[in-house]
Structure formats: structure tokens, C-alpha cells
Amino acid sequence: MLGFIAARQAGLDDPARLRRAEATRRVLSLELNKDRDVERIHGSAINTLDIEPVEGRYMLSGGSDGVIVLYDLENFSRKPCYTCKAICSVGRSHPDVHRFSVETVQWYPHDTGMFTSSSFDKTLKIWDTNTLQPAEVFHFEGTVYSHHMSPVATKHCLIAVGTKSPKVQLCDLKSGSCSHILQGHRQEVLAVSWSPRHEYILATASADGRVKLWDVRRASGCLTTLDQHNGEKSKASSEAANTAHNGRVNGLCYTNDGLHLLTIGTDDRMRLWNSSTGENTLVNYGKVCNESRKGLKFAISCGCNPEFAFVPYGSTIAVYTIFSGELITMLRGHYNTVDCCVFQPNFQAEAFEMERSSEYLF
């Protein structure tokens, strides 16, 4: 550490190198935090988390009972031991609470005045944070599994929505309507994610075993369908051709630079793809246990070298190096199945949620 500081002071080293080294060191030394806790509000399973990207201070959580809670992660007491308090919640008594399980929550990428939630009650709701009232509600014919807003978009306000229908829905915040649909999947769409590098590029994952990349400006839409065999059809059966996994694909996440895409399937495999060429990089992560029948929310680190993936794995969280596939450690502390996790880059700490409990880890 002193060597990094001396080299930086002398102008011999990249200033960002020290930050990357410290971020990496902290991830590698992660363990259950004995000083920080989170106020227990949820009385049932927690399915989804999101920390706002502006200050990294406020966290949303969505539960299987339809409840949404907003937490302040800041430690105002300045004491070593403290509890992150819930500021407000959309509880069961709220007139606009989701009737069924909340599957995805997401902050508006540019400020904390708005957030979104989607649910098994076939709705996507746009919330005013200050009033906790829905500013807009989108209704769908089938169960909503996932939705996502682009973190970098400046020329559109589209929300991609994956539902029980094989058609990907694009909802426009400006017009308040579903602008158009993307057709190509054969079964329900379990996960969607906009590229953090190109605002018009969208990745979708489906129960049909396929992962598709789309340019929403194009009439045809689909750019490519990821193929686990990289086009070597002679080595694959006809059923396996142009599939990303031999099972349902229920998790996908871009690396922070947008150059690669990680996917997880119910075939107990995780794969890393070149997002520009669609090539399977063939990184071997070994068996990645995945028993979830819906979306699996995993996270990727930011600012580390190498970068890491945090994957719910039964009652633990498996930490992998993304580009080598090495299993670094298993984070333990939960007593039941972990369903989702989120990475907090400001403090190099993670918040993990249990599928059938309301305990938190930082």
C-alpha cells in the first residue's frame, strides 16, 4: 500500500491503480459485517434490491408479499455499530401496493425522485419517491418477471419488460404507453438488461434457453442470438444450436464497461460472452447451482482488478473472478436460500437478501 502511495505521489503510477487495488483487497477480505445491520421490515421473502447510483445512499427492496421498503444506508450516528433505518415503505395497507410478489425494483438512473417496480400482479409501476404515489402504471397480460431502464440513455426513456409472454415489451415513460415489442423468443422472458455502453442495445434471456441481443432502433430488432457452441453446429445437436444454455436462462448481467455479458441458466452453468461479437469466451466456472424457477439476481463488482461476480448459491454467495472463472470464496451467514444481491461500489460492500427470510448482510 505504501508503495502504491509513493508511486502515485511521484507521478510514476496511474492514480486509479491505487483505487483498484484497494477495492480488490476489500472484496477479497469480505466477511459478515458484525457492526452494521438493517432494520427488519419485510415479514416474508425478499426478491429484489437496488441501490441508487447517484449517492449510493438509498436502497430499495421488494418482497414476495408486494411490500416495497426504502432504506437509508448512511451512518449518521458515527458509531461503529448501527442499524440502517427504513425511511418509508409501500406496505400492505397502501392503496397502490402490489397485490402479488414484487420481482424487480429499480431507481431512476439519474436521480432519486423516481423509482420503478414490477410484480407478479402483471403491472409495472412508476413511483414518485416523495409522495410514494404511482405516477404511471403499465398493465400486461402475463406475469412480469423483470424490467430494466438504461443507465446511460439520453435519447430515449424506454423500460424493457420481460413477462410470461415471449414478446419483450418496451414501455415509453414520455408517452406513458408501450411503444413497441420485440419478437423472437419462444417462451417467457425471465431477465432483461440494457447495455451500460450503448443506449439502444438490449439483452434478453428466456426460458427457451436463448439469449438475444437487440438494437431497438432496427425494424428487425434482433442483432444476434448467442450460441454456446460458437457456430460449431457439427458438434452440437440440432436442438442445442443457437442456445446459450441447455435449460432456462434466468439471469444476465453486463460487466460495468459493457464489453462482456454474464448469463446463468438452470443447466447449472454460468457463461461469459463478448457483447460485441456474441462469442462464448469459454470461461469455465464449474457447476453454478441454480434452482430458481424465476429470475436470479446476481451482481458484478465495479472498479476492481480483476472484476468479480457475486452469485446466490443456495444459502451462500459464491464469489468468482469473471475472466478466469476461479471460485474465490463462499460468503456464509444466511440460514435459507439467497435470492438476490447487490454491490455497493462506494464502500466495496454488498447487501444480500434471502429468498425466504428478511435478514440482511453487508
Side-chain angles (χ1 to χ4, degrees):
M1 183 61 67
L2 292 177
F4 278 121
I5 295 175
R8 178 175 177 178
Q9 185 178 19
L12 301 175
D13 211 342
D14 178 6
R17 190 180 175 198
L18 173 61
R19 179 180 298 177
R20 288 195 298 267
E22 179 62 12
T24 304
R25 184 192 66 80
R26 293 185 183 184
V27 169
L28 292 174
S29 61
L30 271 174
E31 61 182 15
L32 183 62
N33 194 318
K34 301 177 178 63
D35 300 321
R36 182 186 295 193
D37 197 4
V38 180
E39 185 178 2
R40 182 167 182 160
I41 301 296
H42 290 282
S44 60
I46 299 171
N47 301 319
T48 175
L49 288 170
D50 192 40
I51 298 176
E52 49 87 9
V54 180
E55 298 178 75
R57 173 177 170 180
Y58 299 105
M59 181 175 73
L60 288 168
S61 63
S64 61
D65 55 0
V67 172
I68 300 171
V69 183
L70 193 159
Y71 294 95
D72 189 344
L73 304 180
E74 190 73 25
N75 180 11
F76 286 107
S77 71
R78 302 306 174 190
K79 297 178 181 178
C81 298
Y82 72 103
T83 299
C84 300
K85 296 293 185 180
I87 301 175
C88 55
S89 65
V90 181
R92 294 308 306 166
S93 61
H94 194 287
D96 298 299
V97 67
H98 283 288
R99 292 184 295 113
F100 302 129
S101 174
V102 176
E103 292 300 302
T104 308
V105 291
Q106 186 189 2
W107 287 101
Y108 182 61
H110 306 297
D111 64 60
T112 58
M114 184 173 73
F115 67 89
T116 57
S117 64
S118 57
S119 166
F120 277 179
D121 65 7
K122 305 178 183 179
T123 65
L124 164 69
K125 296 186 178 183
I126 317 300
W127 298 87
D128 183 316
T129 308
N130 297 315
T131 64
L132 281 190
Q133 299 296 320
E136 191 71 61
V137 180
F138 295 91
H139 297 271
F140 304 93
E141 295 181 358
T143 298
V144 181
Y145 290 106
S146 176
H147 78 270
H148 192 235
M149 285 181 287
S150 171
V152 296
T154 58
K155 299 177 182 178
H156 71 77
C157 293
L158 298 175
I159 304 177
V161 184
T163 71
K164 198 169 185 177
S165 165
K167 301 175 183 177
V168 180
Q169 309 273 347
L170 296 179
C171 300
D172 192 343
L173 282 179
K174 289 183 178 179
S175 65
S177 63
C178 290
S179 58
H180 57 292
I181 59 175
L182 304 175
Q183 301 188 65
H185 284 296
R186 300 177 183 178
Q187 297 182 44
E188 61 258 46
V189 178
L190 300 174
V192 295
S193 181
W194 291 95
S195 166
R197 192 176 187 88
H198 304 289
E199 65 176 290
Y200 292 105
I201 303 301
L202 175 70
T204 60
S206 170
D208 62 10
R210 290 172 169 82
V211 174
K212 292 181 177 289
L213 300 182
W214 312 79
D215 184 335
V216 299
R217 296 169 298 182
R218 293 173 43 149
S220 59
C222 187
L223 292 173
T224 186
T225 300
L226 302 185
D227 180 10
Q228 60 183 302
H229 304 288
N230 287 331
E232 297 182 25
K233 295 183 179 180
S234 60
K235 298 181 181 180
S237 65
S238 58
E239 291 82 7
N242 290 326
T243 57
H245 290 266
N246 298 323
R248 297 158 63 90
V249 190
N250 58 352
L252 79 168
C253 188
Y254 275 97
T255 55
N256 287 279
D257 58 13
L259 296 177
H260 292 85
L261 180 70
L262 265 177
T263 63
I264 295 179
T266 55
D267 56 356
D268 293 337
R269 290 289 180 267
M270 181 163 66
R271 293 195 167 94
L272 181 69
W273 310 83
N274 183 310
S275 61
S276 297
T277 64
E279 180 186 12
N280 180 3
T281 63
L282 303 178
V283 175
N284 183 11
Y285 299 95
K287 181 179 180 180
V288 181
C289 183
N290 177 9
E291 298 178 352
S292 177
R293 299 302 298 169
K294 50 184 182 179
L296 183 68
K297 312 287 196 304
F298 66 103
I300 291 178
S301 65
C302 179
C304 299
N305 185 23
E307 296 291 0
F308 302 93
F310 304 90
V311 183
Y313 195 112
S315 62
T316 66
I317 299 93
V319 183
Y320 297 90
T321 53
I322 290 179
F323 296 106
S324 70
E326 182 181 0
L327 176 61
I328 297 297
T329 187
M330 303 289 285
L331 302 178
R332 306 180 190 278
H334 285 297
Y335 300 102
N336 213 324
T337 305
V338 179
D339 190 48
C340 60
C341 59
V342 64
F343 183 77
Q344 165 53 291
N346 293 353
F347 302 101
Q348 286 78 51
E350 289 72 51
F352 302 99
E353 299 307 316
M354 296 183 66
E355 184 178 9
R356 300 183 185 91
S357 177
S358 56
E359 298 182 23
Y360 297 74
L361 289 179
F362 279 84

